[in-house]
Amino acid sequence: MPLYLLIALVFFATASILFFLMYMLIPKKTVLEDRLESLVATVQEELSILEKPLTPWQKFLARLGAIPLRPQEYGKYVRMLIAAGIRREKFPVFMGIKILLAIALPLAYLVFYGLHFEKEPTMRMLMSVGFAIVGFLSPSYWLRNRVKKRQTTIFHDLPDILDLLTVCVEAGMSMDAAMIKVTEDTHFKKSPLITEMKIAIREIRAGKPKSEAMRDMGEKTMVADLKAFAAMLIQTEKLGTSLAQALKVHADSLRTIRRQKAEEAAAKIAIKMLFPLVFFIFPALLVVILGPGVIRIIKTFADF
């Protein structure tokens, strides 16, 4: 190898090592940049709680879903959307998705299958109507499942959050300060209950009475245990009893309910496992156990 090529390789290798060490050792951000980024993160978090404005696609869906409904139907959908963690302003978007799927699924069926392979017009019409019904009802099914999952998460997080509130109250904090402190805990950062507590805190800061804010928090989520928690806070504030003791007792009762529901779910496993055992596992076991015997019997009778 020529000497100049060896010198060049050594130079580039040394320079690469030095640049790598400088990149690793020199701080990438100043203290001011870190503080500015933390402020930006706080603003983005507030936007995620209050939800960002509609995108052009969502505006199109909102125009498509702007249909008149009866007050009962409108109230039912709005309550479900709020319980799922979606703003009531997204109701036209949700209806637009339902209408779009009710139109798109039959069209897709007709374009890709019905017009080319289905000869009977009656069957074609029935299948189109069926796809339209499925497309219109599937968003409601998705919304119902999302509400159930969110309610289950709130139910499981509530006792642990009550324990944190109890610790903060016993340390001398007020209930409002304790709620603010709990919402800053990174362990429950993605909990929907923390999101609802942040909304309640902002409503209280805006001038809404705390009793109404806590009651609305329980009503919006449609979780019975959270409603009981809000009622307990209101009653404790009116009667002047020990808040820490009330929180501790309520957390213990919620844990008892959670344990009872877990035991109930465990007791149902035997019944739920009966159908897979009968229809899937037992036939396979019978084939494995009795199969060789049946084959031997058939061979034995075939020799006569």
Side-chain angles (χ1 to χ4, degrees), residues 75 78-84 88 147 150-151 154 196 208 211-231 234:
V78 167
R79 285 194 299 270
M80 293 289 288
L81 287 172
I82 294 174
R88 67 171 66 231
V147 170
R150 197 167 187 264
Q151 289 175 341
I154 291 174
E196 295 296 334
K208 191 173 186 179
S211 58
E212 293 184 11
M214 299 304 295
R215 189 183 296 112
D216 290 344
M217 183 176 67
E219 292 291 337
K220 286 189 298 183
T221 56
M222 294 195 295
V223 179
D225 298 309
L226 193 55
K227 293 179 183 178
F229 167 64
I234 296 170

Side-chain angles (χ1 to χ4, degrees), residues 168-242:
C168 294
V169 170
E170 288 179 344
M173 291 184 178
S174 64
M175 188 60 194
D176 297 342
M179 290 176 62
I180 295 172
K181 189 66 177 177
V182 169
T183 55
E184 295 174 355
D185 192 340
T186 56
H187 181 70
F188 297 102
K189 186 177 181 180
K190 297 182 179 179
S191 174
L193 180 55
I194 294 297
T195 303
E196 295 296 334
M197 289 178 68
K198 288 180 179 179
I199 295 174
I201 290 169
R202 285 174 173 82
E203 289 176 347
I204 293 170
R205 287 177 175 175
K208 191 173 186 179
K210 186 169 67 175
S211 58
E212 293 184 11
M214 299 304 295
R215 189 183 296 112
D216 290 344
M217 183 176 67
E219 292 291 337
K220 286 189 298 183
T221 56
M222 294 195 295
V223 179
D225 298 309
L226 193 55
K227 293 179 183 178
F229 167 64
M232 182 268 298
L233 287 181
I234 296 170
Q235 186 177 9
T236 303
E237 186 177 358
K238 286 182 179 180
L239 299 178
T241 55
S242 175

Side-chain angles (χ1 to χ4, degrees), residues 123-284:
M123 182 60 65
R124 191 185 305 161
M125 184 177 63
L126 289 176
M127 291 296 294
S128 300
V129 172
F131 276 109
I133 293 173
V134 170
F136 189 79
L137 295 180
S138 55
S140 299
Y141 178 75
W142 169 83
L143 182 63
R144 201 172 293 112
N145 284 339
R146 176 163 174 168
V147 170
K148 288 182 180 178
K149 290 180 180 179
R150 197 167 187 264
Q151 289 175 341
T152 303
T153 305
I154 291 174
F155 171 74
H156 286 293
D157 290 344
L158 185 56
D160 299 328
I161 291 176
L162 287 181
D163 287 339
L164 292 177
L165 287 174
T166 304
V167 172
C168 294
V169 170
E170 288 179 344
M173 291 184 178
S174 64
M175 188 60 194
D176 297 342
M179 290 176 62
I180 295 172
K181 189 66 177 177
V182 169
T183 55
E184 295 174 355
D185 192 340
T186 56
H187 181 70
F188 297 102
K189 186 177 181 180
K190 297 182 179 179
S191 174
L193 180 55
I194 294 297
T195 303
E196 295 296 334
M197 289 178 68
K198 288 180 179 179
I199 295 174
I201 290 169
R202 285 174 173 82
E203 289 176 347
I204 293 170
R205 287 177 175 175
K208 191 173 186 179
K210 186 169 67 175
S211 58
E212 293 184 11
M214 299 304 295
R215 189 183 296 112
D216 290 344
M217 183 176 67
E219 292 291 337
K220 286 189 298 183
T221 56
M222 294 195 295
V223 179
D225 298 309
L226 193 55
K227 293 179 183 178
F229 167 64
M232 182 268 298
L233 287 181
I234 296 170
Q235 186 177 9
T236 303
E237 186 177 358
K238 286 182 179 180
L239 299 178
T241 55
S242 175
L243 182 57
Q245 185 65 26
L247 289 172
K248 193 177 297 183
V249 171
H250 195 69
D252 292 338
S253 65
L254 287 178
R255 280 199 174 82
T256 303
I257 295 172
R258 189 169 65 178
R259 185 174 64 251
Q260 290 174 350
K261 287 190 176 182
E263 292 174 355
E264 180 183 356
K268 291 180 181 178
I269 289 178
I271 305 300
K272 292 180 179 179
M273 288 294 295
L274 180 63
F275 296 99
L277 284 172
V278 171
F279 292 106
F280 298 103
I281 298 178
F282 283 165

